[in-house]
Amino acid sequence: MTQEQNNENFSFKKYAWNQFKKNKIALVCLYLLFTLVIVALFAPYIANERPLYAQYKGYTLYPAFASDNKTDSIFNPNGKLEDVLQYDITDWRSLELDKVIWPLIPYSPGGMDRYNRDYVSPNGKQRFKNSQGLITDVPNKFRHHLGTDGIGRDLASGLIHGTRISLMVGLVSMGIASLIGIFLGALAGFFGDNKLKMTRIRYYFTLIGIFFGFFYAFGQRKYAISEGFSNGIDSGILELTISFVLIFAVVYLFRFLSKFITLKSLNKEMYIPIDTFVSRGIELLNSIPRLLLIITITAVVERSIWIVMIIIGITGWTGIARFTRAEFLRIRSLEFVQAAQSLGFSNLRTIFRHALPNALAPVFVSIAFGIASAILIESGLSFLGIGVPDDIVTWGSLLNLGRQNLEAWWLIIYPGIAIFLTITIYNMIAEASRDALDPRLKS
Amino acid sequence: MFKYTLKRVLTFIPMLIAISLLSFVISINAPGDPVERLSKAAGNEGSAEQQSGASKKIKQELRKKLGLDLPIFYLAISDIATSDTLYKIQDKYHKANLEHLTHMSGNWQVVSDYYNELLKIQEIHRTLKSKDIFESTIDISLNEINEITNQVGFDIGSLLETSDQELVDLKFNTISNYLENYSFLSPINTSFQKVKQLNLEILNSSMKWKTYIPSINWYGANNQYHLWLFGNGNDRQGLIRGDFGISYIDSQPISTKIWQKIGISFSLSLISIFLAYLISIPIGIYSAYKKDSAADKGLSLILFILYSMPSFFVGTLLLLQFANPDNLSWFPVSGIQDPTIFDPEWGFWTKIKHRMPYLILPIITYTYGSFAFLSRIMRVGMIDIVSQDYIRTARAKGLGEGKVILKHALRNSLLPVITVFAAIFPMAIGGSIIIEVIFSIPGMGVEIYNSILNYDYPMIITVFTLSGFLTMIGYLVADLLYAVVDPRISYK
């Protein structure tokens, strides 16, 4: 270690990475995580009931890569219309394809195989309808290698597409949580209770500005926002973004206006106990049982996987905020931050350009743990069938099917192992990077 | 110590208020109309005739009893265009519609005229009796008259609830068509023309600016939140006196429902927390004592993996293995007793003996959930203590290793046990929803699960509020106990 420290090119990142690499199990977990990400990214090409490539009556088609609503008209060499292929409802298996490349698992997660309904076991007898329309024993290619559920959906395909959802849950919810947590934690830790000071008039105007900002952004625009969300998630997010920008604009306007008021008694400076506010908020959120809070909120809003992710994010920022705050408390008295301040950089610049990059290491650990618990919560919710719509296949909902029908052991073992593995991977990476980033915390 | 206690209690009160506010906000945003749900639960559904008569009166009384005719909160922030008496409108959807219309036009006067005129049409429409019309006209059948009046009634009803202009125009068109073709509808004609006129005025209002100026209305203590939390002194007792409202499912008071179910959840969580400590403390001590040995490393890894294993997976696996005729059918699959032989008159021990096989798997799952976590905490805490100076002193003065660890170190590392106070009550009320659902244990968890599936909002909100309150009280008690055990804390 001394050798490394003496090296002129010593970089903390390199050091941490070297430490991390020493933990072989964690390294394996990291590779597994990459595999999961790849599986999630390419899920539609790994498990799909449409072939990747097909030659049909002289036409070359790439059905798996096309959008669902694509339609192809097939003409025979004389120019006569023979067939209209509507991609989402065509049964590709019954077509006489000249050449075909099937995905690894030739089933879609929601596709119901009506010849293999009622919990067909992985190594049991499976039926198949071949292109001549005869029911035969299943060829190995079309075997449900992990079995099916009660309505004939392929388990392997469901698991592969479930990878997407579990990764999305982790990313989206912890993305939201980190935004809130890092912002609040940074403010609380950097300013503490007695560092953020402003003139009284400015403080009052800021408060009024926040009031007006929220009034215009959410009171005045609530119909615009709800209309946006009813038109689709992206237009809803656009409207929300406009609202947030509006809040900042209004607050800024009021702060600007406060400069013009120069009354002696109102120009005294006062401290804003921002740390107390944030700490109390964390304490409050921590004292509410999180799963119950999430369940309560999901009970009153409509069922949607996105809303579940957002709620998990909004309720999950306290750990991140605590770590950021603690790190900023330490960092704010270090030389480089003081140098930045004495150079006259604004507080915001000092926080986000100088202090934050140096505070992120422990925060990263808490985010990784957070992802694990977000996935745990989501799979718990879909196990109960709360919040997540019924038509979305997730690991939790598959496990729930298994619980309701204990004979279908494959519906318990495989999804359960998928959840367990993913959570272990994240926890393992989190723990190893904590040890690597901050050896003092090593337990 | 007194100062510390006072400080803790003072910070405790605003948190309670915050939790109550949070659950109140969630509860008023719950979809659907509570009165409809409750009267449905009470079996007051009837034919259309009854709807307009007796049941309407019952609903009105119910609305009043629930306080739905009151303003929502002590104060309301809106814009100067919106009327401060809007809360008096009874129908939830009408209220929302009026609010939206006012928001569109900024002119409350026109909007309320529009609304009243529509109500007038609805009133006139009600007095139209198909039979009378049938007798006075000759060219249409009774069925046709019924169909048309129903259609018009439906259109007016939806006009009262929608502010979407496309839909409004559509309804206007159909009603105009009917008016042209069927003369028996003429009593509503004047009002209908007026409604159309007012609708135009709403669309072309020049008072939109009014919606940009905020206003704050003060309503005083006579509001829904106050009623919900503190009651009104006679028929409503308020949350703080144990009146949690009425369940939508069976119209029973929620407090009775909770009392019936909480016992089993409470005893389950008590037993399993006790077991979890019983297992995890020795493991933690051993692991910390043999720090960095192969045994410690192996134990740590196993604990870590167990910690990542979701308890619902463990529970289902246990069911699959031990309560499944295909594998080992050692335990019953669900419930806590056999209804065919269980007798409520049995003595305490007989009951326990009877329930034992039902409870073993749930208790294992329950315990499992906290044991891995606790062992890890215990190990870290113990390692921390063992490296302290006073432990070295104890060793230096020649005490045996067992005495050092079990007497000097263990005592101090057990301090975190107190934290259990913060967790035990909310766990009992929230139950472990997932575990109770897996094993079909009729406790609070399944109760909450069912209330979510049936949209029984009063129950959900009550459980949420109570567990929030109880966690806070638990934290408070734990903090004070800490301060008693470790006086340094109160001097900080």
Side-chain angles (χ1 to χ4, degrees), chain A residues 17-32 428-429 432:
Chain A
W17 174 234
N18 280 333
Q19 289 297 105
F20 186 88
K21 272 199 294 190
K22 281 185 194 156
N23 190 338
K24 287 288 174 289
I25 300 175
L27 207 59
V28 171
C29 283
L30 198 62
Y31 291 134
L32 282 175
M428 204 57 110
I429 291 177

Side-chain angles (χ1 to χ4, degrees), chain B residues 21 25 45 96 142 174 193 234-235 248 254 297-298 308-309 317 329-330 383 390 416 439 441-442 458:
Chain B
L21 274 177
V25 168
E45 265 178 308
L142 185 60
T174 42
Q193 295 310 329
N234 43 57
D235 61 330
Y248 285 172
I254 284 170
K297 278 187 177 152
S308 303
M309 190 116 146
L317 275 182
S329 197
W330 290 357
I383 288 174
Y390 73 93
F439 296 100
I441 296 164

Side-chain angles (χ1 to χ4, degrees), chain A residues 216 220 222 287 292 295 384, chain B residues 99 103 211-212 452 467 472:
Chain A
Y216 288 124
Q220 174 66 22
K222 67 179 170 198
S287 68
L292 209 53
I295 284 179
L384 290 174
Chain B
E99 215 180 319
H103 176 81
T211 62
Y212 288 100
I452 286 168
S467 46
M472 301 288 276

